[in-house]
Amino acid sequence: MSTIDSVLTETRVFQPSAAFVQQANISGPAAYQALCEEAERDFDGFWGRLAREHLQWSKPFTKVLDESDAPFYKWFGDGELNVSYNCLDVNLANGNADKVAIIFESDDGTVTKATYRDLHARVCRFANGIKALGYKKGDRSIIYMPMSIEAVVAMQACARLGITHSVVFGGFSAKSLQERIVDVGATLIITADEQVRGGKTIPLKPAIEEAFAMGGCDAVSKVIVYRRTGGAVAWNDGRDLWMHDVEQGQPDTCEPVQVNAEHPLFVLYTSGSTGKPKGVQHSSGGYLLWAALTMKWTFDLKPKDVYWCTADVGWVTGHTYIAYGPLAAGATQIVFEGVPTYPNAGRFWEMIQKHRATIFYTAPTAIRSLIKASEANPDQHPRKYDLSSLRLIGSVGEPINPEAWMWYYTNVGAERCPIVDTWWQTETGGHMINPLPGVTGLKPGSCTKPLPGIFAAIVDETGGDVELGKGGFLVIKRPWPAMIRTIWGDPERFKKSYYPEELGGYYLAGDGANRDADGYFWIMGRIDDVLNVSGHRLGTMEVESALVANPLVAEAAVVGRPDDLTGEAVVAFVVLKGARPDDAKAAEIAKELRNWVTKEIGPIAKPKEIRFGDNLPKTRSGKIMRRLLRVVAKGETVTQDVSTLENPAILEQLGKAL
Ligand code: 6R9
């Protein structure tokens, strides 16, 4: 796989075809330029116009942006709207009632469709049901569900009532779940009995029971359970309810609760460089505007499209580009329960063929694993399927290496479909830097240029612009409507993490980046201690805390190592409380610790390798030198200066892998 250097020498440029440009929502460089200039000339006017054109407000806003308490920006702050109304009722009113909103395909291939009318009715019935239980605007819910129409219903129903949801990825452990329940102050949980992925059933509800057993969850008065498999689950009579019983007998209309544009639609936890995951708080108005708008800009969404984003609703991509954006834009979308490799690695291609998908959005880690699988099994190669319905393909989650880009472009996109490589984050709410498919010439491995209204730049540690071609910190110089509002319950941490004083008011993304002579952005990865494993963010601190919580462990340091498949792999250096184990014993303890981390955080955090040492490389002031451990983890010899190290000999010991 290529390194950053080879990425930067990439010179191929793939221009959009004349046919694509001709039909595009934003067509040709002049149209893009005009939008950028409008944003530059009249920032408030630009965003105000878009917010009026793309959303319906129950109370129109009079002020676009309030910067008086920066960086706690307020957008459309005196306006009111309802997110679910904008996603559902609006579609009933504008002729989409009988249009399919969701094509759901289960793990075993069963297909269920819901029109906008169906979805509206289900959301209303469920919202009425939870309202009848006493839940109301301002309450917080935890959603811990598999990929399903029901998960979208749960999110939309909360939005309809002004209940702030926090979705926890179904792959997270009971411990992670409990921390989020406590931090967000949830009073309602919506979950399922089990989930089905790759031909296996995986329990969900038991994790709720475990979370309760850990304590701190007393504020939760109801647990609503979607019956996915009918598998046996423990039941707490006064507390637990089936989702179908909650909906039973409820009317299929429900008055949407109008909320202020700044009302928190959701809190989504993501890893930072220090401490516990941060609860990223998003707004209702600004967030939804950007979700709807980027569907039309980035994905060039048209009424006839069949759109498919393969993300899970537990991640931000599944929020913006499954639960909210596509519905607000009136799309028909595919929601998939399963995994890309079951029953075989042709599953994605088979589904595109079967549903005649036109827009396909996935992650580099999935692409890389499918490249490998199709090399091993030629009959699961995309060329074996009819993918002629596709007209646009996208990528998200981590930098896509040029080799994977070319494979995707050639074999999935048939050199016909533009690739939109979208750089954004949980905190940004939606796309930030990516090609406009009817405008931008594509360079494999570059996310290209910022969207209109997004003032992205690369600066040094004092906030000064760096010259083109020189790397630096990726920042966003002006606020944007879908931006993070705060860290739930911790405004100080929000300021410190994203608006450090030295940068003079710029949003610090936490990524290193470079810009080439054409002004194209090349993302180089995180500048902090955040790992990116299969497109999922993981704090080194989180994994370290999990390890030291094990009774055997005295100390632990975690670093990322480049990995062909997952982008980065977790490597842990561990000092045990007892003596350093011999090889046989080490293998056994490593296995135990890997399972421990899975239990504490979830399978994505499981270290690929664990090495044991008598101690860790530390400076004289006691700081662990992770920089050196990164070199050791790669199996390379440390050539950097180690003169500040207290114990240089440890590097040799840790360098000997098992
Ligand atoms: C949407 C999402 C955000 C981090 C981000 C960056 C990396 C995401 C990328 C990309 C290069 C892309 N990242 N997309 N790097 N090119 N197209 O993934 O959100 O989980 O918060 O991760 O992922 O490092 O800072 P999130």
Side-chain angles (χ1 to χ4, degrees):
M1 295 281 151
S2 4
T3 62
I4 297 296
D5 291 344
S6 74
V7 167
L8 287 172
T9 56
E10 179 66 60
T11 52
R12 288 167 289 193
V13 182
F14 298 85
Q15 295 297 343
S17 70
F20 198 102
V21 174
Q22 205 240 326
Q23 59 81 59
N25 289 341
I26 301 183
S27 175
Y32 168 66
Q33 214 42 53
L35 284 165
C36 292
E37 277 164 22
E38 184 191 347
E40 193 118 14
R41 196 176 56 241
D42 178 12
F43 193 67
D44 283 19
F46 170 80
W47 288 116
R49 172 179 74 76
L50 293 168
R52 278 185 278 270
E53 284 174 8
H54 293 268
L55 296 181
Q56 291 202 16
W57 298 84
S58 59
K59 177 171 173 249
F61 54 88
T62 61
K63 188 166 176 59
V64 173
L65 172 62
D66 177 355
E67 305 190 81
S68 59
D69 190 23
F72 301 94
Y73 297 99
K74 291 189 183 66
W75 285 90
F76 320 116
D78 60 349
E80 286 181 10
L81 81 174
N82 178 277
V83 167
S84 157
Y85 178 88
N86 272 276
C87 293
L88 301 170
D89 306 54
V90 164
N91 282 299
L92 299 198
N94 68 12
N96 279 343
D98 294 313
K99 180 175 180 171
V100 173
I102 297 181
I103 303 170
F104 174 71
E105 182 162 321
S106 72
D107 191 64
D108 72 3
T110 311
V111 174
T112 318
K113 293 183 183 177
T115 62
Y116 274 93
R117 193 195 309 281
D118 299 334
L119 195 62
H120 174 267
R122 284 222 47 196
V123 168
C124 287
R125 282 200 296 273
F126 189 53
N128 284 325
I130 47 185
K131 188 162 71 181
L133 293 169
Y135 292 102
K136 55 178 192 316
K137 176 168 143 185
D139 291 343
R140 275 89 60 201
S141 67
I142 287 277
I143 297 180
Y144 187 62
M145 293 179 86
M147 286 298 289
S148 52
I149 295 179
E150 284 70 15
V152 177
V153 167
M155 293 164 81
Q156 286 282 343
C158 288
R160 198 159 188 95
L161 299 178
I163 297 171
T164 301
H165 61 66
S166 186
V167 181
V168 178
F169 174 55
F172 276 135
S173 67
K175 185 79 196 307
S176 306
L177 188 60
Q178 185 256 4
E179 283 168 5
R180 288 155 174 75
I181 294 169
V182 173
D183 191 81
V184 86
T187 53
L188 169 66
I189 295 178
I190 308 166
T191 188
D193 49 2
E194 298 180 313
Q195 57 178 331
V196 187
R197 285 166 68 78
K200 295 191 200 81
T201 54
I202 308 154
L204 281 175
K205 175 118 192 313
I208 308 279
E209 305 306 335
E210 270 184 69
F212 270 93
M214 287 171 194
C217 303
D218 298 342
V220 177
S221 50
K222 292 286 175 240
V223 175
I224 301 177
V225 187
Y226 157 50
R227 183 145 74 198
R228 168 61 187 88
T229 63
V233 286
W235 204 257
N236 179 326
D237 271 333
R239 189 197 67 191
D240 299 349
L241 297 161
W242 289 111
M243 188 172 186
H244 54 259
D245 287 337
V246 172
E247 286 172 34
Q248 179 67 39
Q250 293 292 345
D252 52 17
T253 57
C254 170
E255 193 58 37
V257 175
Q258 305 301 335
V259 300
N260 184 276
E262 284 295 312
H263 181 74
L265 176 63
F266 66 87
V267 172
L268 184 60
Y269 287 82
T270 191
S271 300
S273 46
T274 52
K276 291 221 162 109
K278 315 183 248 203
V280 173
Q281 179 180 321
H282 277 290
S283 69
S284 297
Y287 171 80
L288 191 67
L289 168 64
W290 201 225
L293 199 55
T294 48
M295 286 300 299
K296 297 170 194 170
W297 286 3
T298 304
F299 295 128
D300 192 47
L301 188 80
K302 302 282 164 47
K304 285 210 151 53
D305 276 310
V306 177
Y307 160 91
W308 183 16
C309 166
T310 68
D312 190 285
V313 288
W315 308 108
V316 73
T317 307
H319 281 61
T320 309
Y321 297 108
I322 295 178
Y324 293 110
L327 301 178
T332 293
Q333 70 171 323
I334 298 169
V335 171
F336 177 43
E337 178 178 45
V339 299
T341 47
Y342 178 82
N344 63 54
R347 183 68 184 267
F348 276 0
W349 324 131
E350 193 201 311
M351 282 180 61
I352 292 170
Q353 170 178 291
K354 172 156 119 195
H355 300 295
R356 304 298 293 157
T358 59
I359 301 172
F360 179 66
Y361 190 37
T362 195
T365 184
I367 297 168
R368 286 191 301 264
S369 77
L370 296 177
I371 294 175
K372 217 167 137 179
S374 67
E375 276 163 8
N377 301 288
D379 59 321
Q380 292 155 29
H381 191 280
R383 79 168 86 83
K384 297 286 178 185
Y385 299 80
D386 175 8
L387 305 184
S388 60
S389 57
L390 286 176
R391 64 183 199 91
L392 184 146
I393 56 183
S395 172
V396 58
E398 57 177 309
I400 177 165
N401 48 303
E403 289 82 353
W405 195 100
M406 283 308 303
W407 185 90
Y408 194 33
Y409 187 72
T410 312
N411 296 295
V412 181
E415 298 175 29
R416 171 175 42 82
C417 304
I419 297 183
V420 288
D421 174 4
T422 56
W423 178 86
W424 62 292
Q425 311 176 289
T426 304
E427 295 87 342
T428 70
H431 299 153
M432 299 293 280
I433 310 180
N434 56 263
L436 288 172
V439 175
T440 319
L442 309 173
K443 300 189 191 186
S446 167
C447 57
T448 78
K449 295 188 174 184
L451 289 173
I454 302 302
F455 291 81
I458 298 171
V459 301
D460 59 25
E461 49 288 318
T462 63
D465 284 318
V466 302
E467 307 162 36
L468 289 186
K470 285 240 165 68
F473 303 120
L474 178 59
V475 297
I476 313 296
K477 290 190 167 179
R478 305 190 69 168
W480 66 101
M483 67 190 297
I484 173 176
R485 292 308 195 263
T486 187
I487 292 175
W488 182 262
D490 201 346
E492 273 314 304
R493 190 173 175 205
F494 163 74
K495 265 209 248 184
K496 272 218 322 252
S497 313
Y498 302 108
Y499 284 93
E501 255 164 54
E502 317 82 81
L503 292 185
Y506 298 163
Y507 168 84
L508 178 68
D511 280 339
N514 225 310
R515 257 177 115 176
D516 67 19
D518 299 326
Y520 277 49
F521 285 75
W522 300 81
I523 307 297
M524 305 193 298
R526 302 290 305 189
I527 50 168
D528 50 20
D529 286 328
V530 173
L531 308 180
N532 190 327
V533 181
S534 298
H536 298 140
R537 275 164 65 172
L538 211 54
T540 49
M541 266 291 298
E542 283 168 75
V543 187
E544 287 167 6
S545 319
L547 282 166
V548 295
N550 183 287
L552 295 174
V553 176
E555 225 181 349
V558 164
V559 298
R561 175 175 69 202
D563 186 277
D564 275 0
L565 224 52
T566 56
E568 275 189 294
V570 176
V571 179
F573 295 89
V574 170
V575 181
L576 295 177
K577 285 183 184 152
R580 183 165 173 258
D582 62 28
D583 286 2
K585 190 86 186 131
E588 196 184 302
I589 299 178
K591 188 171 167 208
E592 186 180 330
L593 293 181
R594 293 171 77 232
N595 291 337
W596 171 269
V597 174
T598 304
K599 214 174 119 262
E600 289 284 300
I601 306 175
I604 48 164
K606 190 175 188 166
K608 184 148 186 184
E609 193 186 337
I610 296 185
R611 295 193 194 179
F612 297 96
D614 292 322
N615 45 44
L616 296 171
K618 286 189 187 161
T619 61
R620 278 164 227 282
S621 61
K623 279 211 169 66
I624 298 173
M625 302 274 279
R626 290 194 182 70
R627 179 166 63 77
L628 301 177
L629 287 175
R630 274 193 277 272
V631 178
V632 172
K634 277 195 265 184
E636 293 168 2
T637 317
V638 174
T639 54
Q640 287 117 310
D641 177 33
V642 294
S643 57
T644 56
L645 259 195
E646 166 104 60
N647 50 347
I650 189 64
L651 291 176
E652 203 197 328
Q653 186 186 70
L654 292 172
K656 292 192 192 95
L658 289 172

